[in-house]
Amino acid sequence: MRNLKALFMGSAAFAAMSVASGSAQAQSYAFGAGSTSVQIVYRQLMDCLYDQAQGSAGKPGPMAKAWMCTGFNTSGFHGMILYAPTGSGNGKLVLRTNDKSQIGIVSHSVPYTNLSKYPGSIDVLDTTGYDGVQFIGSDDVVNTTDIINWNAGGTTSPQSKFGNLIQLPAVIETIGLGLSEKDGNNVWLNVLTAGLNLSRNAMCGIVSGHITQWNNPILTALNGGVLGTGNIIFVHRWDESGATFLLSNALVAQCRYEFGPNNETDATIVSYSFPWTDRSQSCSTPLVARGSNQVNWPDQFPTDQCGNAVSNPGGGHFASARVINQNTPPHHTTGSGALVDFVQSTNGAIGYASGNFSIDQGRVSLWPFISWRTANLQSQWDLANNTGKFQAPTWQGAQKAMATLIPQFDATTRANPLTWSLQGVAPNPVVAGAYPISGFSWIEMYQCYRNHNTYDGPRANGIPVDNNAFLWLKIWLDFLYGTGSTGILNDTGFAQIPGVWQSEIYSLLNDPVNGPQGSGCSGKVGAY
């Protein structure tokens, strides 16, 4: 059993504490799970601040220390944080249950690798050795259902045992629309060097199932000629995914007033609004299309949760990205990696994943995704001002999009995660240069933590340094929000959280009542 030994007493304590290294310092661990979109950037940040879990001697995986890591193991405490990329929906489940056995299928995206290849080594996928779960990553915001589930159960509820659910924006990301290199008839797509251009109308037409062929005249006019022939296959996530939330939340807002021909053979003008309803919605009211981590895609769900047929009047082609056999290529079983693999191996496919999949990481051999090409999208600014420009999924464009959000909290609302959710989304940013499908990826954590019973870390005069889980995580958050992380973030396609949000983050973290380990934890057992 690997034990979490959180060693920290806040950032200021680091400078004042003298801690032995090497054999005098036992290895320490913290554990999380969730979003697959952030798996690379989290791994790089964790391995920069603490000891490496990947790429060093005796450790699995090809990933060496990030070249943008300017000060390796700057914590001075060694140790590791291991993070299992399982998808945002699974991360929420794991946090609510505080049960490591609930960790689902782990993505095998590089740099993660099978433990069997490295016998006896530490592996980020070996969740059986996790000593509890202390946090999760999610690209999907906390919603009302999450809060209801958090509070359900009276004295056995997560709220009763672990205090409030705390949600903090961690990084800024894009959702890119990537495409196969070949059309529906196995012929190379005629895509310009600058990439596929998709207007608002074209993007909405494809996802709503009305633009179904690569030689659709709308696409031809946008891209200077016929792209190809055959079916366009829109590939989506099968699981509860934060990437699906960011995509659907944006398209519900952006496609509301888009119209066009029903399909290539039916000129009837129809709405291109996002039609696929929220899979998690109760049947007590009519189902609606809204931002959701799982929607009623027509290929995956013949009927919705209320028993109604899921119609597809335009005749669009859809596919669910799920790879069952992880022992034969492609190796990704779930998450963004599985979707990228599926798109690459399917003629005529287009799908969505975090924009960092399109970053050239050849110098550190992070990605085998050499043919993941993303589309350039039309933003609201470009549309309103008729600029003729299309935006690529860059961290700079995402940073501009999320900079439009100015949080308005007070001492009461700051403790409510729904306040962060409502103010922390930009479904249709209106600013020059903004990439239109951008969002925060979030850290979700407990308010109350307890000390671990087993401890073999540093001691002061024979007394163990505080080994509370939150203090371990807090030092990593300090690094994440500090200047030392920006190089790694940008190099992997992410951007740092704006200063106005960081101010609110630390106001909550330092809240003596509602913050982590605040007086509101009195009488609660705390998460292990």
Side-chain angles (χ1 to χ4, degrees):
M1 172 68 69
R2 301 175 190 151
N3 295 310
L4 169 73
K5 299 94 179 179
L7 317 176
F8 309 112
M9 302 179 70
S11 299
F14 267 109
M17 294 175 63
S18 175
V19 182
S21 60
S23 60
Q25 162 127 5
Q27 195 67 274
S28 304
Y29 297 86
F31 303 102
S35 167
T36 62
S37 296
V38 295
Q39 57 187 301
I40 291 294
V41 69
Y42 279 9
R43 183 74 273 136
Q44 287 199 351
L45 290 168
M46 292 165 182
D47 281 0
C48 182
L49 181 64
Y50 300 119
D51 283 351
Q52 288 178 248
Q54 292 276 296
S56 56
K59 304 292 175 60
M63 186 177 182
K65 181 188 71 172
W67 79 289
M68 293 299 293
C69 176
T70 57
F72 177 59
N73 196 9
T74 52
S75 71
F77 280 81
H78 299 285
M80 294 181 183
I81 297 181
L82 301 186
Y83 178 81
T86 60
S88 300
N90 181 250
K92 285 186 173 185
L93 171 66
V94 171
L95 191 78
R96 187 171 69 249
T97 60
N98 189 235
D99 181 1
K100 68 176 185 178
S101 70
Q102 296 291 322
I103 295 176
I105 301 173
V106 181
S107 171
H108 284 66
S109 299
V110 175
Y112 301 99
T113 187
N114 291 328
L115 182 64
S116 60
K117 297 180 181 179
Y118 299 85
S121 66
I122 299 168
D123 193 289
V124 293
L125 301 183
D126 183 20
T127 58
T128 60
Y130 280 28
D131 186 21
V133 177
Q134 291 80 45
F135 71 97
I136 65 105
S138 177
D139 306 319
D140 181 16
V141 296
V142 170
N143 56 42
T144 302
T145 299
D146 294 327
I147 297 300
I148 291 173
N149 291 335
W150 190 264
N151 295 330
T155 57
T156 63
S157 68
Q159 205 288 328
S160 178
K161 293 186 292 185
F162 312 130
N164 295 332
L165 169 60
I166 291 178
Q167 174 183 235
L168 306 173
V171 297
I172 298 173
E173 66 175 321
T174 64
I175 298 298
L177 296 181
L179 58 147
S180 170
E181 292 287 288
K182 295 185 177 182
D183 67 11
N185 290 316
N186 196 30
V187 177
W188 294 101
L189 281 168
N190 182 29
V191 177
L192 299 175
T193 303
L196 175 69
N197 289 333
L198 292 179
S199 65
R200 175 71 54 84
N201 188 257
M203 174 183 68
C204 298
I206 291 173
V207 182
S208 61
H210 295 287
I211 294 179
T212 72
Q213 303 293 310
W214 281 106
N215 61 355
N216 183 285
I218 295 175
L219 299 181
T220 299
L222 287 167
N223 292 279
V226 176
L227 293 167
T229 60
N231 294 338
I232 295 173
I233 300 175
F234 189 80
V235 182
H236 58 84
R237 292 278 292 272
W238 69 271
D239 54 339
E240 295 180 350
S241 158
T244 301
F245 166 76
L246 288 174
L247 176 80
S248 58
N249 198 50
L251 296 190
V252 166
Q254 295 177 28
C255 299
R256 184 171 293 129
Y257 304 115
E258 295 300 322
F259 298 85
N262 187 42
N263 54 40
E264 289 75 14
T265 60
D266 180 2
T268 305
I269 300 300
V270 299
S271 172
Y272 284 1
S273 63
F274 189 78
W276 318 118
T277 56
D278 179 2
R279 184 71 182 176
S280 67
Q281 185 183 344
S282 170
C283 292
S284 59
T285 57
L287 299 188
V288 297
R290 61 186 181 188
S292 175
N293 63 17
Q294 190 175 54
V295 300
N296 286 306
W297 299 108
D299 67 298
Q300 186 174 0
F301 301 108
T303 60
D304 61 29
Q305 63 269 38
C306 304
N308 304 310
V310 177
S311 62
N312 182 13
H317 312 284
F318 295 84
S320 175
R322 186 177 188 183
V323 180
I324 302 299
N325 188 352
Q326 65 188 48
N327 296 317
T328 58
H331 297 293
H332 308 124
T333 56
T334 188
S336 298
L339 187 142
V340 171
D341 277 341
F342 197 102
V343 169
Q344 286 186 302
S345 61
T346 303
N347 292 333
I350 184 169
Y352 58 95
S354 177
N356 65 306
F357 276 77
S358 64
I359 298 298
D360 178 14
Q361 301 286 357
R363 59 182 173 274
V364 288
S365 300
L366 288 183
W367 299 108
F369 310 130
I370 57 174
S371 59
W372 177 251
R373 302 179 65 179
T374 50
N376 308 310
L377 304 181
Q378 190 176 37
S379 72
Q380 186 63 39
W381 178 272
D382 298 323
L383 189 66
N385 290 278
N386 196 26
T387 66
K389 295 181 180 179
F390 298 85
Q391 305 299 327
T394 64
W395 66 264
Q396 294 95 333
Q399 192 172 55
K400 290 178 180 178
M402 301 310 289
T404 63
L405 305 179
I406 307 298
Q408 300 292 326
F409 296 157
D410 58 32
T412 301
T413 59
R414 191 177 294 114
N416 184 350
L418 292 179
T419 307
W420 296 76
S421 298
L422 292 169
Q423 298 189 50
V425 292
N428 191 18
V430 184
V431 63
Y435 180 73
I437 310 180
S438 302
F440 292 144
S441 189
W442 305 80
I443 289 288
E444 294 179 23
M445 54 188 288
Y446 305 99
Q447 180 188 10
C448 310
Y449 292 85
R450 55 178 163 146
N451 289 347
H452 282 217
N453 295 325
T454 306
Y455 185 73
D456 58 0
R459 295 170 179 264
N461 299 322
I463 301 173
V465 175
D466 194 341
N467 61 327
N468 185 275
F470 166 67
L471 297 179
W472 175 274
L473 180 59
K474 172 63 165 55
I475 296 302
W476 184 73
L477 291 175
D478 290 343
F479 177 61
L480 174 66
Y481 298 129
T483 57
S485 69
T486 54
I488 294 175
L489 288 169
N490 296 165
D491 190 53
T492 50
F494 294 86
Q496 194 167 56
I497 299 301
V500 289
W501 283 89
Q502 289 195 30
S503 178
E504 294 294 346
I505 288 169
Y506 280 96
S507 291
L508 178 57
L509 291 177
N510 296 323
D511 188 315
V513 177
N514 298 311
Q517 305 300 83
S519 60
C521 289
S522 176
K524 301 184 188 300
V525 63
Y528 190 80

